[in-house]
Amino acid sequence: AKLIFTTSLFLGTTITISSNHWITAWAGLEINTLAILPLISKSHHPRSIEAATKYFLTQATASTLVLFASMTNAWHTGQWDITQLTHPTSCLILTSAIAMKLGLVPFHFWFPEVLQGSPLATGLLLSTIMKFPPVVLLVMTSPSLNPTLLTFMAISSAALGGWMGLNQTQTRKIMAFSSISHLGWMTIIISYDPKLTLLNFYLYTMMTAAVFLILNTNNTLSLSTLMTTWAKNPTLSAMLLLALLSLAGLPPLTGFLPKWLIIQELTKQDMAIAATVISLLSLLGLFFYLRLAYCATITLPPHTTNHMKQWHTNKPVNTSIAILTTMSTMLLP
């Protein structure tokens, strides 16, 4: 069953990103949604069932809106081609549908809840591979979308992703809010340079995968358990620190590259104010990444914690973690 689900996940993604016709794109999105649902609700915990239900409802609504937008466009222009989306109403509907698929503000409420209810490996899939088809659709239709609306949604996403992540103690929720603010960075540049959006998405996927895999190895779901992982695998915790700082976008690391290019492009487009605002809002994100990093590596917890110290493992670390962490720190230098 697991093989079937993962195969159809990759199949749905491939169908969507390689399609020219709206109906095939929609079918790929549907296959994706249906394949990830069992992976979310696998543990049969009430919270994961609730997460799967929420996910299904939002994605079904978004798919319907995609279908509705493409039909309206076909009605007015006789075109089913994805790149020929010209009718203003369908552009508007499509923007909201894709925002709902991705979890952009103001349609972001489902994402932290769903991520909190699903296991860490599924959380990784949800925040990387499930975001890929909508991002590609956004890139393909980007010339005809409304840049003002996209910029507004992007800045509010960066703001909300930063602010709501400040007070969280669950690592999965923190990763969800970081995903929302990164999507804001991707959306702000889409009308001006779609290639930068894709670059940002690839690098974000890489760094998020590194962080999620490290959390999965250490089996940490909240900050209090993260505090005791330094005993289990000290080098891995140090790499977690670097990967988190890379996600925050600090200069020598990989995560700085997309931010740098996006700010440069925005200033070329006379959008210096937007660039300033979104850069200041990424400081909020930096704060909660630093909190995670602080709990993971910088602080030795007080010895009065109620948590058992974890055993030190000499198990070799997964190769993919090694590759991903190296790339998410060293790619830019």
Side-chain angles (χ1 to χ4, degrees):
K2 211 169 191 177
L3 177 71
I4 292 175
F5 296 141
T6 39
T7 325
S8 27
L9 223 112
F10 284 107
L11 175 78
T13 309
T14 318
I15 288 177
T16 305
I17 63 180
S18 57
S19 60
N20 288 320
H21 195 287
W22 274 113
I23 297 290
T24 41
W26 168 80
L29 290 171
E30 284 297 305
I31 293 173
N32 250 353
T33 305
L34 293 175
I36 196 89
L37 282 174
L39 297 178
I40 299 176
S41 57
K42 194 172 61 184
S43 63
H44 292 298
H45 189 275
R47 177 165 280 177
S48 65
I49 302 290
E50 181 188 347
T53 314
K54 282 178 181 169
Y55 185 76
F56 175 72
L57 291 173
T58 45
Q59 298 299 310
T61 315
S63 297
T64 318
L65 281 176
V66 166
L67 211 52
F68 182 53
S70 50
M71 272 175 59
T72 320
N73 187 57
W75 207 354
H76 283 280
T77 61
Q79 276 285 357
W80 278 103
D81 198 17
I82 292 185
T83 45
Q84 303 289 326
L85 189 78
T86 45
H87 194 252
T89 317
S90 35
C91 289
L92 208 62
I93 298 172
L94 185 86
T95 311
S96 58
I98 288 184
M100 207 181 289
K101 279 261 175 220
L102 289 171
L104 273 174
V105 175
F107 306 106
H108 63 286
F109 294 100
W110 61 274
F111 190 53
E113 308 285 327
V114 169
L115 216 60
Q116 180 57 29
S118 48
L120 277 168
T122 313
L124 169 62
L125 287 178
L126 276 174
S127 45
T128 56
I129 198 170
M130 299 300 289
K131 302 265 164 127
F132 189 42
V135 165
V136 171
L137 284 181
L138 202 56
V139 167
M140 284 162 80
T141 54
S142 60
S144 50
L145 300 180
N146 182 357
T148 322
L149 177 69
L150 286 175
T151 310
F152 175 70
M153 283 165 85
I155 289 180
S156 46
S157 291
L160 264 148
W163 266 313
M164 291 172 75
L166 291 182
N167 226 358
Q168 301 294 337
T169 54
Q170 301 288 329
T171 47
R172 286 170 295 185
K173 277 201 173 174
I174 290 182
M175 291 312 289
F177 288 119
S178 103
S179 177
I180 292 173
S181 56
H182 272 277
L183 281 167
W185 276 90
M186 288 172 223
T187 323
I188 197 165
I189 199 67
I190 191 115
S191 324
Y192 309 108
D193 198 347
K195 286 195 182 68
L196 272 186
T197 301
L198 281 179
L199 172 78
N200 194 346
F201 183 77
Y202 297 144
L203 293 178
Y204 156 76
T205 301
M206 198 173 64
M207 299 181 291
T208 309
V211 172
F212 262 114
L213 287 171
I214 294 175
L215 291 176
N216 196 19
T217 311
N218 286 339
N219 201 5
T220 45
L221 296 178
S222 66
L223 291 182
S224 47
T225 46
L226 193 62
M227 277 198 170
T228 59
T229 53
W230 57 271
K232 186 178 183 181
N233 202 333
T235 24
L236 201 59
S237 295
M239 287 316 287
L240 178 62
L241 165 77
L242 284 176
L244 284 167
L245 293 182
S246 183
L247 260 179
L250 288 188
L253 307 168
T254 311
F256 178 56
L257 175 67
K259 285 191 167 41
W260 177 24
L261 293 173
I262 285 175
I263 289 171
Q264 192 179 345
E265 182 63 35
L266 283 177
T267 42
K268 274 183 199 162
Q269 300 284 352
D270 287 342
M271 291 178 65
I273 299 171
T276 314
V277 169
I278 201 165
S279 320
L280 286 174
L281 288 172
S282 71
L283 290 175
L284 292 167
L286 176 65
F287 178 75
F288 59 77
Y289 292 125
L290 276 176
R291 247 180 89 201
L292 271 175
Y294 187 74
C295 286
T297 49
I298 306 169
T299 166
L300 286 183
H303 293 290
T304 52
T305 45
N306 304 329
H307 290 275
M308 291 285 290
K309 297 282 180 294
Q310 301 189 22
W311 289 95
H312 188 93
T313 55
N314 288 325
K315 221 171 32 178
V317 172
N318 196 335
T319 330
S320 54
I321 296 185
I323 295 170
L324 283 166
T325 43
T326 315
M327 282 172 71
S328 58
T329 49
M330 296 299 179
L331 209 57
L332 178 57

